[in-house]
Amino acid sequence: MTQAPAAPRAARRRHDREIVALAVPAFGALVAEPLFVMADSAIVGHLGTAQLAGLGIASALLVTAVSVFVFLAYATTAAVARRVGAGDLRAAIRQGMDGIWLAILLGTVVIVTVLPTAPALVELFGASPTAAPYATTYLRISSLGIPAMLIVLASTGILRGLQDTRTPLHVAVAGFVANAGLNAGLVYGAGLGIAGSAWGTVLAQFGMAAAYLFVVVRGARQHGASLRPDVAGIRACAQAGAPLLVRTLSLRAILMIATAVAARLGDADIAAHQIIMSLWSLLAFALDAIAIAGQAIIGRYLGANDAQGAREACRRMVQWGIASGVVLGLLVFVARPLFLPLFTSDPAVQDTALPALVLVAVSQPISGIVFVLDGVLMGAGDGPYLAWAMLLTLAVFAPVALLVPVFGGGLTALWGAMTLMMALRMLTLWLRSRSGLWIVTGATR
């Protein structure tokens, strides 16, 4: 067998080191985020069923509101990484500050919107009369922390663009510990009940935002970057993020349609669907860590006018995505009988979930490619294509999913539609990556 040339092997090792150095801490930070909700649930759950139900509704609304603005992290990562690749750290941090100012503006708008409409939003989500007051209280107080949450998103994007995923990991872990301690103290020690849990989360979020701002401001002063708001820069950040907002909303619509269809299939089906979605989300964190590395690395290569390096990095990350997907898929397939009893003892729910989990396992290599190429194109600033591709995916998925109950299909058929959705995403992303149209070099796209 002919051995591979030394240079390509050295390039692969270099890419591997970069991917691991960025992806592993990113995965830790991603996993830490849902632990906030888990800690709140564990503490509030001991107050009573109505309080826990209220927390569940309010948390769903908050998570939806914040996830809509995840483009603050994605767009900032790509823009900052390009400037880093071009060797202009001052402009990179200045670009990141525009993202932070945009986060503050958007957070303020959300607060002004949520405070007066909280009761109506809770009612819209179908809260019971006993849970609604608790949900409204938690939502109103926690909404005060949304600007901090959005600052965290934008600041995370800055540090990722600067090729630093360790600091976000440290801040996320510290934030989780502070959140758990504050919640326990305010809920039980101070006797504030569910309001104490909300205030604890708000304080933890502002603590995280302060930690990020300390790091970013220190870097700005070191490199002489201005901290003042720049209207043109903020507008540019909003324009870069708009296509990613469309992409995110389309993806959220897909997940909401899937849940709505599962609810129409029956109690066992919706219960099994929720279990599978929790696993699917956990698997997504693992694959999204590679995508985050892709955003930072690709942006840097393109900013340095190294188109060939960007192509090689993309190819290597796709290989990582496939390999990770295969490993995760095998784990899901083997662990199916052990995984389900952790969530339910109902045989009907287990029997419904088992065949659908096979599809989840089989589709993981596809998901690996999708997440990686999604990250690559985000790193390249190719947001408009990502928006149109996701709208197309939504247009195909929606009728297919809605026809599942019409033709008597069950949960397995629904997850077949989900697998089709991921396959279509893979096709659109692969065609774009093959075209090379995403490769636009320079400090700005």
Side-chain angles (χ1 to χ4, degrees):
M1 180 183 294
T2 304
Q3 290 186 339
R9 283 203 302 268
R12 284 197 299 271
R13 286 196 296 269
R14 184 179 71 253
H15 291 314
D16 290 346
R17 286 194 297 269
E18 288 182 331
I19 294 169
V20 171
L22 291 171
V24 172
F27 174 69
L30 289 170
V31 171
E33 292 174 10
L35 293 179
F36 272 79
V37 177
M38 291 178 63
D40 289 0
S41 300
I43 292 170
V44 172
H46 292 286
L47 293 174
T49 302
Q51 288 91 333
L52 184 58
L55 172 65
I57 292 168
S59 293
L61 286 164
L62 287 166
V63 169
T64 299
V66 174
S67 65
V68 164
F69 299 114
V70 73
F71 69 85
L72 288 168
Y74 294 158
T76 304
T77 297
V80 171
R82 276 183 175 269
R83 298 284 191 179
V84 170
D88 192 348
L89 287 177
R90 178 181 178 180
I93 297 175
R94 174 63 259 182
Q95 185 102 37
M97 284 303 306
D98 293 333
I100 289 177
W101 282 112
L102 178 60
I104 294 172
L105 290 174
L106 291 173
T108 303
V109 171
V110 173
I111 290 179
V112 172
T113 303
V114 171
L115 285 178
T117 61
L121 291 172
V122 167
E123 183 179 355
L124 183 65
F125 263 58
S128 68
T130 54
Y134 297 111
T136 300
T137 296
Y138 190 93
L139 180 59
R140 277 181 166 156
I141 296 173
S142 292
S143 68
L144 300 176
I146 287 180
M149 298 180 197
L150 300 190
I151 290 172
V152 167
L153 284 177
S155 301
T156 301
I158 296 174
L159 295 178
R160 288 173 180 171
L162 293 171
Q163 317 296 296
D164 176 10
T165 55
R166 290 186 178 275
T167 300
L169 172 60
H170 296 154
V171 174
V173 171
F176 166 71
V177 173
N179 178 67
L182 286 167
N183 278 11
L186 294 174
V187 170
Y188 298 115
L192 296 180
I194 195 170
S197 177
W199 281 117
T201 300
V202 168
L203 292 172
Q205 292 288 354
F206 270 101
M208 293 173 65
Y212 275 118
L213 289 175
F214 173 80
V215 174
V216 173
V217 169
R218 183 180 60 186
R221 287 174 175 168
Q222 287 177 348
H223 298 284
S226 173
L227 300 175
R228 296 178 180 177
D230 177 67
V231 175
I234 294 172
R235 186 186 301 116
C237 284
Q239 290 172 345
L244 295 180
L245 175 61
V246 173
R247 168 202 168 275
T248 301
L249 290 174
S250 300
L251 180 57
R252 296 294 302 180
I254 287 172
L255 299 180
M256 290 175 65
I257 290 171
T259 300
V261 170
R264 294 176 59 187
L265 296 176
D267 289 346
D269 294 88
I270 185 61
H273 178 74
Q274 289 302 109
I275 293 171
I276 295 172
M277 279 301 300
S278 67
L279 174 63
W280 198 71
S281 299
L282 179 62
L283 297 171
F285 283 134
L287 297 174
D288 201 29
I290 305 175
I292 288 170
Q295 294 171 32
I297 293 171
I298 293 298
R300 192 188 75 235
Y301 274 116
L302 294 178
N305 295 309
D306 188 353
Q308 183 59 31
R311 290 191 186 91
E312 292 175 356
C314 174
R315 188 179 305 114
R316 190 57 177 164
M317 279 183 282
V318 168
Q319 293 170 355
W320 269 80
I322 295 172
S324 300
V326 169
V327 172
L328 292 174
L330 289 173
L331 287 174
V332 171
F333 185 81
V334 172
R336 283 178 307 145
L338 303 174
F339 170 75
L340 289 172
L342 296 176
F343 290 86
T344 179
S345 58
D346 188 337
V349 176
Q350 293 185 13
D351 291 343
T352 301
L354 274 173
L357 278 174
V358 173
L359 285 176
V360 174
V362 170
S363 67
Q364 285 311 295
I366 296 174
S367 297
I369 297 173
V370 168
F371 276 84
V372 167
L373 291 180
D374 211 34
V376 166
L377 296 185
M378 284 183 190
D382 204 12
Y385 180 84
L386 291 173
W388 284 111
M390 191 60 79
L391 285 171
L392 172 64
T393 303
L394 172 60
V396 173
F397 172 79
V400 173
L402 293 173
L403 286 173
V404 167
V406 174
F407 288 99
L411 189 67
T412 302
L414 175 59
W415 275 92
M418 290 287 286
T419 303
L420 172 65
M421 178 269 294
M422 293 301 291
L424 181 57
R425 288 187 68 190
M426 181 182 70
L427 177 62
T428 57
L429 294 171
W430 178 78
L431 289 174
R432 186 65 168 182
S433 68
R434 291 279 294 179
S435 72
L437 296 175
W438 57 276
I439 301 177
V440 179
T441 58
T444 58
R445 184 178 172 87

